[in-house]
Short mmCIF file of all heavy atoms in Angstrom, two decimals:
data_model
loop_
_atom_site.label_atom_id
_atom_site.label_comp_id
_atom_site.label_asym_id
_atom_site.label_seq_id
_atom_site.Cartn_x
_atom_site.Cartn_y
_atom_site.Cartn_z
N MET A 1 0.85 -1.17 0.00
CA MET A 1 0.00 0.00 0.00
C MET A 1 0.89 1.24 0.00
O MET A 1 1.86 1.31 0.73
CB MET A 1 -0.91 0.00 1.22
CG MET A 1 -1.81 1.20 1.25
SD MET A 1 -2.89 1.36 2.69
CE MET A 1 -3.61 -0.22 2.83
N ARG A 2 0.53 2.19 -0.83
CA ARG A 2 1.24 3.47 -0.89
C ARG A 2 0.37 4.56 -0.29
O ARG A 2 -0.84 4.58 -0.52
CB ARG A 2 1.55 3.86 -2.33
CG ARG A 2 2.66 3.05 -2.93
CD ARG A 2 2.93 3.52 -4.32
NE ARG A 2 2.02 2.77 -5.19
CZ ARG A 2 1.99 2.87 -6.50
NH1 ARG A 2 2.77 3.70 -7.11
NH2 ARG A 2 1.16 2.15 -7.20
N THR A 3 0.99 5.45 0.45
CA THR A 3 0.28 6.61 0.98
C THR A 3 0.79 7.84 0.25
O THR A 3 1.99 8.05 0.13
CB THR A 3 0.52 6.75 2.50
OG1 THR A 3 0.04 5.57 3.14
CG2 THR A 3 -0.21 7.96 3.05
N ILE A 4 -0.16 8.63 -0.23
CA ILE A 4 0.15 9.84 -0.99
C ILE A 4 -0.38 11.03 -0.22
O ILE A 4 -1.55 11.05 0.17
CB ILE A 4 -0.52 9.79 -2.38
CG1 ILE A 4 -0.10 8.54 -3.14
CG2 ILE A 4 -0.21 11.05 -3.18
CD1 ILE A 4 -0.94 8.26 -4.37
N GLU A 5 0.46 12.03 0.01
CA GLU A 5 0.01 13.26 0.65
C GLU A 5 -0.62 14.15 -0.42
O GLU A 5 -0.06 14.33 -1.50
CB GLU A 5 1.17 13.97 1.32
CG GLU A 5 1.71 13.20 2.51
CD GLU A 5 2.77 13.97 3.27
OE1 GLU A 5 2.75 15.21 3.23
OE2 GLU A 5 3.60 13.31 3.90
N ILE A 6 -1.81 14.70 -0.09
CA ILE A 6 -2.57 15.49 -1.05
C ILE A 6 -2.98 16.81 -0.41
O ILE A 6 -3.52 16.82 0.70
CB ILE A 6 -3.82 14.73 -1.52
CG1 ILE A 6 -3.41 13.42 -2.18
CG2 ILE A 6 -4.64 15.59 -2.49
CD1 ILE A 6 -4.56 12.54 -2.58
N ASP A 7 -2.73 17.90 -1.12
CA ASP A 7 -3.15 19.23 -0.67
C ASP A 7 -4.49 19.57 -1.30
O ASP A 7 -4.74 19.26 -2.46
CB ASP A 7 -2.13 20.30 -1.09
CG ASP A 7 -0.82 20.19 -0.34
OD1 ASP A 7 -0.83 19.72 0.82
OD2 ASP A 7 0.22 20.56 -0.92
N GLY A 8 -5.36 20.21 -0.52
CA GLY A 8 -6.58 20.76 -1.07
C GLY A 8 -7.86 20.03 -0.72
O GLY A 8 -8.94 20.51 -1.04
N MET A 9 -7.78 18.87 -0.07
CA MET A 9 -9.01 18.17 0.32
C MET A 9 -9.56 18.82 1.58
O MET A 9 -8.84 19.00 2.56
CB MET A 9 -8.74 16.68 0.59
CG MET A 9 -8.41 15.88 -0.62
SD MET A 9 -8.45 14.09 -0.30
CE MET A 9 -7.16 13.88 0.91
N ALA A 10 -10.87 19.16 1.56
CA ALA A 10 -11.46 19.85 2.69
C ALA A 10 -12.68 19.15 3.29
O ALA A 10 -13.16 19.55 4.33
CB ALA A 10 -11.85 21.27 2.28
N CYS A 11 -13.18 18.10 2.61
CA CYS A 11 -14.41 17.47 3.08
C CYS A 11 -14.54 16.06 2.53
O CYS A 11 -13.70 15.61 1.74
CB CYS A 11 -15.61 18.31 2.64
SG CYS A 11 -15.82 18.39 0.84
N GLY A 12 -15.60 15.39 2.92
CA GLY A 12 -15.87 14.05 2.44
C GLY A 12 -16.07 14.00 0.93
O GLY A 12 -15.72 13.02 0.29
N GLY A 13 -16.65 15.05 0.38
CA GLY A 13 -16.83 15.11 -1.07
C GLY A 13 -15.49 15.14 -1.79
O GLY A 13 -15.34 14.54 -2.86
N CYS A 14 -14.52 15.82 -1.20
CA CYS A 14 -13.17 15.85 -1.77
C CYS A 14 -12.57 14.45 -1.75
O CYS A 14 -11.93 14.03 -2.71
CB CYS A 14 -12.27 16.80 -0.99
SG CYS A 14 -12.75 18.53 -1.07
N GLU A 15 -12.78 13.74 -0.64
CA GLU A 15 -12.30 12.37 -0.55
C GLU A 15 -12.88 11.52 -1.68
O GLU A 15 -12.16 10.77 -2.34
CB GLU A 15 -12.69 11.75 0.79
CG GLU A 15 -12.02 12.35 1.99
CD GLU A 15 -12.55 11.81 3.31
OE1 GLU A 15 -13.46 10.96 3.31
OE2 GLU A 15 -12.05 12.26 4.35
N ASP A 16 -14.19 11.66 -1.90
CA ASP A 16 -14.86 10.91 -2.96
C ASP A 16 -14.27 11.23 -4.33
O ASP A 16 -14.06 10.33 -5.16
CB ASP A 16 -16.36 11.18 -2.97
CG ASP A 16 -17.07 10.63 -1.74
OD1 ASP A 16 -16.51 9.73 -1.07
OD2 ASP A 16 -18.19 11.10 -1.47
N ASN A 17 -14.00 12.52 -4.58
CA ASN A 17 -13.43 12.93 -5.86
C ASN A 17 -12.06 12.29 -6.08
O ASN A 17 -11.76 11.81 -7.18
CB ASN A 17 -13.30 14.45 -5.94
CG ASN A 17 -14.63 15.15 -6.03
OD1 ASN A 17 -15.63 14.57 -6.43
ND2 ASN A 17 -14.65 16.41 -5.64
N VAL A 18 -11.24 12.29 -5.04
CA VAL A 18 -9.90 11.73 -5.15
C VAL A 18 -9.97 10.22 -5.35
O VAL A 18 -9.29 9.67 -6.22
CB VAL A 18 -9.05 12.09 -3.90
CG1 VAL A 18 -7.77 11.27 -3.86
CG2 VAL A 18 -8.74 13.57 -3.88
N VAL A 19 -10.82 9.54 -4.59
CA VAL A 19 -10.94 8.09 -4.72
C VAL A 19 -11.44 7.73 -6.11
O VAL A 19 -10.92 6.81 -6.75
CB VAL A 19 -11.85 7.51 -3.62
CG1 VAL A 19 -12.21 6.06 -3.91
CG2 VAL A 19 -11.18 7.63 -2.26
N ASP A 20 -12.44 8.45 -6.61
CA ASP A 20 -12.95 8.18 -7.96
C ASP A 20 -11.86 8.34 -9.01
O ASP A 20 -11.74 7.53 -9.93
CB ASP A 20 -14.13 9.10 -8.28
CG ASP A 20 -15.39 8.75 -7.51
OD1 ASP A 20 -15.46 7.64 -6.94
OD2 ASP A 20 -16.31 9.60 -7.48
N ALA A 21 -11.06 9.41 -8.87
CA ALA A 21 -9.98 9.65 -9.83
C ALA A 21 -8.93 8.55 -9.75
O ALA A 21 -8.46 8.06 -10.79
CB ALA A 21 -9.35 11.02 -9.57
N LEU A 22 -8.56 8.16 -8.55
CA LEU A 22 -7.53 7.13 -8.39
C LEU A 22 -8.03 5.77 -8.87
O LEU A 22 -7.27 5.00 -9.46
CB LEU A 22 -7.07 7.05 -6.94
CG LEU A 22 -6.31 8.28 -6.43
CD1 LEU A 22 -6.06 8.16 -4.93
CD2 LEU A 22 -5.00 8.48 -7.19
N ASP A 23 -9.30 5.48 -8.63
CA ASP A 23 -9.86 4.19 -9.05
C ASP A 23 -9.82 4.02 -10.57
O ASP A 23 -9.82 2.89 -11.07
CB ASP A 23 -11.30 4.04 -8.57
CG ASP A 23 -11.40 3.59 -7.11
OD1 ASP A 23 -10.41 3.05 -6.58
OD2 ASP A 23 -12.48 3.78 -6.52
N ASP A 24 -9.81 5.13 -11.30
CA ASP A 24 -9.78 5.07 -12.77
C ASP A 24 -8.38 4.82 -13.34
O ASP A 24 -8.24 4.59 -14.53
CB ASP A 24 -10.34 6.37 -13.36
CG ASP A 24 -11.85 6.48 -13.19
OD1 ASP A 24 -12.50 5.44 -12.97
OD2 ASP A 24 -12.37 7.62 -13.29
N VAL A 25 -7.35 4.89 -12.48
CA VAL A 25 -5.98 4.69 -12.96
C VAL A 25 -5.72 3.19 -13.12
O VAL A 25 -5.96 2.42 -12.19
CB VAL A 25 -4.97 5.31 -11.96
CG1 VAL A 25 -3.54 5.01 -12.39
CG2 VAL A 25 -5.19 6.82 -11.84
N PRO A 26 -5.22 2.79 -14.28
CA PRO A 26 -4.91 1.37 -14.48
C PRO A 26 -3.91 0.88 -13.42
O PRO A 26 -2.94 1.57 -13.11
CB PRO A 26 -4.27 1.33 -15.88
CG PRO A 26 -4.83 2.54 -16.57
CD PRO A 26 -4.98 3.58 -15.49
N GLY A 27 -4.18 -0.27 -12.87
CA GLY A 27 -3.30 -0.85 -11.87
C GLY A 27 -3.74 -0.61 -10.44
O GLY A 27 -3.21 -1.22 -9.52
N VAL A 28 -4.71 0.30 -10.23
CA VAL A 28 -5.20 0.56 -8.88
C VAL A 28 -6.22 -0.53 -8.52
O VAL A 28 -7.21 -0.71 -9.22
CB VAL A 28 -5.85 1.96 -8.76
CG1 VAL A 28 -6.54 2.12 -7.41
CG2 VAL A 28 -4.80 3.03 -8.94
N GLU A 29 -5.94 -1.24 -7.45
CA GLU A 29 -6.85 -2.27 -6.96
C GLU A 29 -7.87 -1.68 -6.00
O GLU A 29 -9.03 -2.07 -5.99
CB GLU A 29 -6.07 -3.40 -6.29
CG GLU A 29 -5.18 -4.15 -7.25
CD GLU A 29 -4.29 -5.16 -6.55
OE1 GLU A 29 -4.51 -5.46 -5.36
OE2 GLU A 29 -3.35 -5.64 -7.21
N SER A 30 -7.43 -0.73 -5.17
CA SER A 30 -8.34 -0.03 -4.27
C SER A 30 -7.68 1.28 -3.84
O SER A 30 -6.46 1.41 -3.86
CB SER A 30 -8.68 -0.88 -3.04
OG SER A 30 -7.54 -1.05 -2.22
N ALA A 31 -8.53 2.24 -3.47
CA ALA A 31 -8.03 3.54 -3.02
C ALA A 31 -8.95 4.07 -1.93
O ALA A 31 -10.17 3.84 -1.96
CB ALA A 31 -7.97 4.53 -4.18
N THR A 32 -8.36 4.74 -0.96
CA THR A 32 -9.10 5.44 0.08
C THR A 32 -8.48 6.82 0.25
O THR A 32 -7.33 7.03 -0.13
CB THR A 32 -9.07 4.69 1.43
OG1 THR A 32 -7.71 4.59 1.86
CG2 THR A 32 -9.69 3.31 1.32
N ALA A 33 -9.24 7.74 0.82
CA ALA A 33 -8.72 9.08 1.08
C ALA A 33 -9.22 9.56 2.42
O ALA A 33 -10.29 9.17 2.89
CB ALA A 33 -9.14 10.05 -0.03
N ASP A 34 -8.43 10.43 3.05
CA ASP A 34 -8.77 11.01 4.36
C ASP A 34 -8.45 12.49 4.31
O ASP A 34 -7.27 12.88 4.32
CB ASP A 34 -7.96 10.30 5.45
CG ASP A 34 -8.26 10.79 6.84
OD1 ASP A 34 -8.80 11.92 7.00
OD2 ASP A 34 -7.95 10.07 7.79
N HIS A 35 -9.49 13.33 4.23
CA HIS A 35 -9.25 14.77 4.10
C HIS A 35 -8.62 15.36 5.35
O HIS A 35 -7.86 16.32 5.28
CB HIS A 35 -10.53 15.52 3.72
CG HIS A 35 -11.52 15.69 4.81
ND1 HIS A 35 -12.42 14.70 5.16
CD2 HIS A 35 -11.75 16.72 5.67
CE1 HIS A 35 -13.17 15.13 6.16
NE2 HIS A 35 -12.78 16.35 6.49
N GLU A 36 -8.93 14.81 6.52
CA GLU A 36 -8.36 15.34 7.75
C GLU A 36 -6.86 15.09 7.82
O GLU A 36 -6.11 15.94 8.30
CB GLU A 36 -9.07 14.75 8.96
CG GLU A 36 -10.51 15.24 9.09
CD GLU A 36 -11.23 14.66 10.29
OE1 GLU A 36 -10.64 13.87 11.04
OE2 GLU A 36 -12.40 15.01 10.47
N ALA A 37 -6.43 13.95 7.35
CA ALA A 37 -5.00 13.63 7.33
C ALA A 37 -4.31 14.18 6.08
O ALA A 37 -3.08 14.30 6.05
CB ALA A 37 -4.79 12.12 7.39
N GLY A 38 -5.10 14.52 5.06
CA GLY A 38 -4.53 15.00 3.81
C GLY A 38 -3.79 13.92 3.05
O GLY A 38 -2.78 14.19 2.42
N THR A 39 -4.34 12.70 3.11
CA THR A 39 -3.67 11.59 2.44
C THR A 39 -4.65 10.72 1.67
O THR A 39 -5.85 10.73 1.93
CB THR A 39 -2.95 10.67 3.46
OG1 THR A 39 -3.91 10.13 4.37
CG2 THR A 39 -1.87 11.42 4.22
N ALA A 40 -4.09 9.96 0.75
CA ALA A 40 -4.82 8.89 0.07
C ALA A 40 -3.94 7.66 0.14
O ALA A 40 -2.71 7.75 0.12
CB ALA A 40 -5.10 9.26 -1.38
N SER A 41 -4.57 6.50 0.23
CA SER A 41 -3.85 5.24 0.23
C SER A 41 -4.28 4.45 -1.00
O SER A 41 -5.46 4.39 -1.31
CB SER A 41 -4.16 4.44 1.49
OG SER A 41 -3.71 5.14 2.63
N VAL A 42 -3.29 3.87 -1.67
CA VAL A 42 -3.55 3.16 -2.92
C VAL A 42 -2.92 1.77 -2.85
O VAL A 42 -1.75 1.64 -2.47
CB VAL A 42 -2.96 3.93 -4.12
CG1 VAL A 42 -3.15 3.17 -5.41
CG2 VAL A 42 -3.57 5.31 -4.22
N GLU A 43 -3.69 0.77 -3.23
CA GLU A 43 -3.17 -0.59 -3.36
C GLU A 43 -3.16 -0.93 -4.84
O GLU A 43 -4.08 -0.57 -5.57
CB GLU A 43 -4.04 -1.57 -2.59
CG GLU A 43 -3.92 -1.39 -1.10
CD GLU A 43 -4.20 -2.66 -0.33
OE1 GLU A 43 -3.93 -3.75 -0.86
OE2 GLU A 43 -4.69 -2.54 0.78
N GLY A 44 -2.10 -1.61 -5.26
CA GLY A 44 -1.97 -2.01 -6.65
C GLY A 44 -0.63 -1.58 -7.19
O GLY A 44 0.23 -1.06 -6.47
N ASP A 45 -0.45 -1.80 -8.49
CA ASP A 45 0.85 -1.49 -9.10
C ASP A 45 0.75 -0.34 -10.11
O ASP A 45 1.46 -0.32 -11.11
CB ASP A 45 1.43 -2.74 -9.76
CG ASP A 45 0.54 -3.30 -10.86
OD1 ASP A 45 -0.56 -2.75 -11.09
OD2 ASP A 45 0.94 -4.28 -11.50
N ALA A 46 -0.09 0.63 -9.82
CA ALA A 46 -0.25 1.78 -10.71
C ALA A 46 1.02 2.61 -10.75
O ALA A 46 1.78 2.69 -9.78
CB ALA A 46 -1.42 2.64 -10.24
N ASP A 47 1.24 3.25 -11.88
CA ASP A 47 2.38 4.13 -12.09
C ASP A 47 2.23 5.41 -11.26
O ASP A 47 1.15 6.02 -11.22
CB ASP A 47 2.47 4.48 -13.58
CG ASP A 47 3.62 5.40 -13.89
OD1 ASP A 47 4.77 4.94 -13.82
OD2 ASP A 47 3.34 6.58 -14.19
N ASP A 48 3.31 5.82 -10.60
CA ASP A 48 3.28 7.02 -9.74
C ASP A 48 2.89 8.27 -10.52
O ASP A 48 2.14 9.11 -10.02
CB ASP A 48 4.63 7.23 -9.06
CG ASP A 48 4.93 6.20 -7.99
OD1 ASP A 48 3.97 5.61 -7.44
OD2 ASP A 48 6.11 6.00 -7.68
N ASP A 49 3.40 8.40 -11.74
CA ASP A 49 3.07 9.59 -12.55
C ASP A 49 1.60 9.60 -12.92
O ASP A 49 0.97 10.66 -12.95
CB ASP A 49 3.93 9.64 -13.81
CG ASP A 49 5.40 9.95 -13.50
OD1 ASP A 49 5.68 10.55 -12.45
OD2 ASP A 49 6.26 9.56 -14.32
N ALA A 50 1.03 8.42 -13.18
CA ALA A 50 -0.39 8.34 -13.52
C ALA A 50 -1.24 8.70 -12.31
O ALA A 50 -2.27 9.37 -12.44
CB ALA A 50 -0.73 6.94 -14.02
N LEU A 51 -0.81 8.29 -11.12
CA LEU A 51 -1.54 8.65 -9.90
C LEU A 51 -1.51 10.16 -9.69
O LEU A 51 -2.54 10.78 -9.39
CB LEU A 51 -0.95 7.93 -8.69
CG LEU A 51 -1.08 6.41 -8.68
CD1 LEU A 51 -0.27 5.83 -7.53
CD2 LEU A 51 -2.53 5.98 -8.61
N ALA A 52 -0.34 10.76 -9.85
CA ALA A 52 -0.20 12.21 -9.67
C ALA A 52 -1.05 12.96 -10.68
O ALA A 52 -1.70 13.96 -10.34
CB ALA A 52 1.27 12.61 -9.80
N ALA A 53 -1.09 12.48 -11.92
CA ALA A 53 -1.90 13.13 -12.96
C ALA A 53 -3.38 13.04 -12.63
O ALA A 53 -4.13 14.01 -12.81
CB ALA A 53 -1.62 12.50 -14.32
N ALA A 54 -3.83 11.90 -12.12
CA ALA A 54 -5.24 11.73 -11.76
C ALA A 54 -5.62 12.67 -10.62
O ALA A 54 -6.71 13.26 -10.64
CB ALA A 54 -5.51 10.28 -11.36
N ILE A 55 -4.73 12.81 -9.66
CA ILE A 55 -4.99 13.72 -8.54
C ILE A 55 -5.11 15.15 -9.05
O ILE A 55 -6.02 15.88 -8.66
CB ILE A 55 -3.87 13.59 -7.48
CG1 ILE A 55 -3.96 12.22 -6.80
CG2 ILE A 55 -3.95 14.71 -6.45
CD1 ILE A 55 -2.73 11.85 -6.00
N GLU A 56 -4.20 15.54 -9.93
CA GLU A 56 -4.23 16.90 -10.48
C GLU A 56 -5.48 17.14 -11.32
O GLU A 56 -6.11 18.19 -11.21
CB GLU A 56 -2.98 17.14 -11.32
CG GLU A 56 -2.87 18.57 -11.81
CD GLU A 56 -1.56 18.84 -12.51
OE1 GLU A 56 -0.52 18.36 -12.03
OE2 GLU A 56 -1.59 19.54 -13.54
N GLU A 57 -5.86 16.16 -12.12
CA GLU A 57 -7.06 16.29 -12.95
C GLU A 57 -8.32 16.41 -12.11
O GLU A 57 -9.30 17.02 -12.52
CB GLU A 57 -7.17 15.12 -13.91
CG GLU A 57 -6.16 15.17 -15.05
CD GLU A 57 -6.20 13.95 -15.95
OE1 GLU A 57 -7.25 13.27 -15.98
OE2 GLU A 57 -5.19 13.68 -16.61
N ALA A 58 -8.28 15.83 -10.90
CA ALA A 58 -9.43 15.93 -9.99
C ALA A 58 -9.47 17.28 -9.28
O ALA A 58 -10.43 17.59 -8.58
CB ALA A 58 -9.38 14.80 -8.96
N GLY A 59 -8.42 18.09 -9.43
CA GLY A 59 -8.41 19.43 -8.85
C GLY A 59 -7.61 19.57 -7.58
O GLY A 59 -7.74 20.56 -6.87
N TYR A 60 -6.75 18.61 -7.31
CA TYR A 60 -5.94 18.63 -6.09
C TYR A 60 -4.47 18.52 -6.47
O TYR A 60 -4.13 18.32 -7.62
CB TYR A 60 -6.35 17.48 -5.16
CG TYR A 60 -7.84 17.50 -4.90
CD1 TYR A 60 -8.70 16.75 -5.69
CD2 TYR A 60 -8.38 18.31 -3.92
CE1 TYR A 60 -10.07 16.80 -5.48
CE2 TYR A 60 -9.74 18.37 -3.71
CZ TYR A 60 -10.58 17.61 -4.50
OH TYR A 60 -11.93 17.66 -4.30
N GLU A 61 -3.58 18.67 -5.48
CA GLU A 61 -2.17 18.59 -5.73
C GLU A 61 -1.52 17.56 -4.83
O GLU A 61 -1.86 17.47 -3.66
CB GLU A 61 -1.49 19.93 -5.48
CG GLU A 61 -1.88 21.02 -6.44
CD GLU A 61 -1.12 22.30 -6.19
OE1 GLU A 61 -0.03 22.25 -5.59
OE2 GLU A 61 -1.62 23.36 -6.59
N GLN A 62 -0.62 16.79 -5.40
CA GLN A 62 0.16 15.87 -4.59
C GLN A 62 1.22 16.67 -3.85
O GLN A 62 1.97 17.42 -4.45
CB GLN A 62 0.81 14.80 -5.46
CG GLN A 62 1.57 13.78 -4.68
CD GLN A 62 2.09 12.64 -5.53
OE1 GLN A 62 1.70 12.49 -6.67
NE2 GLN A 62 2.96 11.86 -4.96
N ALA A 63 1.23 16.55 -2.52
CA ALA A 63 2.23 17.26 -1.72
C ALA A 63 3.56 16.55 -1.89
O ALA A 63 3.64 15.33 -1.94
CB ALA A 63 1.81 17.27 -0.25
N LEU A 64 4.61 17.33 -1.98
CA LEU A 64 5.94 16.74 -2.16
C LEU A 64 6.75 16.81 -0.89
O LEU A 64 6.57 17.50 -0.01
CB LEU A 64 6.68 17.44 -3.28
CG LEU A 64 5.97 17.37 -4.63
CD1 LEU A 64 6.72 18.18 -5.66
CD2 LEU A 64 5.83 15.94 -5.10
#
């Protein structure tokens, strides 16, 4: 499982947006998000760049 820090999530709806975006990335088996922690967790062998792109397309930023 990988944990990704994400900037910009403020509510449960944001969590849903991030999870939906991550679920669409090839190789993602499951994804969860926690706006209070500012993180998402991803299981699977998805490409890191594809995950970052999905997060950005959903309107959020991967914290570095």
Side-chain angles (χ1 to χ4, degrees):
M1 180 183 311
R2 285 182 273 183
T3 300
I4 303 167
E5 293 186 27
I6 300 175
D7 290 331
M9 290 192 297
C11 64
C14 295
E15 293 174 359
D16 292 340
N17 291 338
V18 168
V19 169
D20 288 345
L22 293 173
D23 279 340
D24 288 340
V25 175
V28 171
E29 295 173 13
S30 68
T32 61
D34 182 339
H35 75 277
E36 291 180 359
T39 61
S41 297
V42 177
E43 291 207 31
D45 61 357
D47 179 72
D48 290 336
D49 290 336
L51 295 172
I55 291 166
E56 186 174 319
E57 288 175 22
Y60 307 93
E61 293 184 23
Q62 183 174 347
L64 301 176

